Amino acid sequence: QVQFVESGGGLVQPGGSLRLTCAASGSIFNVDGQAWYRLAPGKQRELVAAITSGGSTNYADFVKGRFTISRDNAKNTVYLQMNNLKPEDTAVYYCNRGPGLSLIGSSWGQGTQVTVSS
């Protein structure tokens, strides 16, 4: 069972940028790829960005054009570059398997807090 450890969150002003890192234990390979999710107070966990096993990317409409997901297979690491951050991006960000069957039963890490002021 692969474990994911998120880092890189912090406090930024609107319009600022952050680069989140997701380090995975062992091989990160999975048929469903990997994805970033976020959980904001009073809301359900939502998909932010996904990268398939083949390297294709998909983004939620509310981050498209601002966020970029990438992966370094040799380092077993997934990244999320976040630009032009908005207050509504404030949430705890998690990485995990992509939105496929393998996500079921997977474990969630502690996530990393992203706070965009005002």
Side-chain angles (χ1 to χ4, degrees), residues 55-110:
S56 298
T57 57
N58 295 284
Y59 301 91
D61 287 341
F62 51 82
V63 303
K64 195 168 186 178
R66 300 188 297 123
F67 293 8
T68 303
I69 186 172
S70 61
R71 179 178 62 220
D72 187 331
N73 290 324
K75 296 180 179 179
N76 293 315
T77 302
V78 179
Y79 306 94
L80 183 67
Q81 179 66 47
M82 306 185 296
N83 298 324
N84 192 24
L85 284 161
K86 304 176 180 180
E88 51 264 43
D89 293 320
T90 296
V92 179
Y93 285 71
Y94 303 85
C95 63
N96 210 320
R97 297 178 173 86
L101 292 177
S102 69
L103 183 63
I104 302 174
S106 66
S107 61
W108 295 88
Q110 301 232 56

